[in-house]
């Protein structure tokens, strides 16, 4: 499925995220995310680890740009970390 779907379950979102995050270069922090990682002292690799091994908290939703968004939670470097992800459909996070 190359087009952004109209509906997206947690399981479908998790599968797409796991596919994308295999290549850490496809995880691109921008704007708010970049600021928040700096403020919280979290590295991009910690965020990638949460995307790889964490879980989706809540249901996926569409943002104002038409991208699917999720909140993921997981542990990295001994810390509980929450990461907000926008899925640029099958391209990057």
């Amino acid at each position: 499925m190359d087009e952004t779907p109209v509906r997206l379950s947690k399981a479908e979102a998790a599968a797409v995220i796991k596919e994308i995050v295999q290549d850490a270069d496809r995880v691109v922090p921008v704007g708010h995310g970049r600021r928040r990682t700096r403020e919280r002292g979290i590295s991009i690799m910690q965020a990638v680890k949460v995307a790889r091994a964490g879980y989706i908290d809540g249901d996926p939703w569409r943002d104002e740009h038409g991208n699917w968004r999720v909140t993921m939670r997981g542990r990295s470097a001994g810390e509980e970390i929450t990461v907000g992800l926008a899925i640029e459909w099958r391209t990057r996070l």
Side-chain angles (χ1 to χ4, degrees):
M1 174 182 353
D2 290 334
E3 287 186 29
T4 303
V6 175
R7 292 190 178 141
L8 189 67
S9 70
K10 271 188 188 183
E12 291 165 330
V16 170
I17 289 166
K18 301 299 183 204
E19 174 188 316
I20 293 170
V21 80
Q22 292 309 307
D23 179 358
D25 290 338
R26 293 172 66 189
V27 179
V28 182
V30 295
H32 175 76
R34 187 176 302 160
R35 284 189 305 277
R36 292 293 290 148
T37 54
R38 272 195 310 261
E39 288 170 6
R40 294 166 54 199
I42 296 171
S43 74
I44 184 62
M45 287 314 296
Q46 285 178 286
V48 167
K49 183 175 180 183
V50 170
R52 285 182 177 156
Y55 65 93
I56 295 174
D57 186 16
D59 292 322
W61 74 95
R62 297 286 289 270
D63 68 15
E64 66 276 8
H65 305 290
N67 294 318
W68 282 102
R69 304 262 329 220
V70 298
T71 300
M72 292 194 74
R73 296 184 190 278
R75 294 193 70 77
S76 180
E79 294 181 64
E80 182 71 26
I81 296 174
T82 302
V83 177
L85 299 174
I87 304 168
E88 257 184 46
W89 197 248
R90 295 206 179 272
T91 306
R92 65 184 184 161
L93 302 172

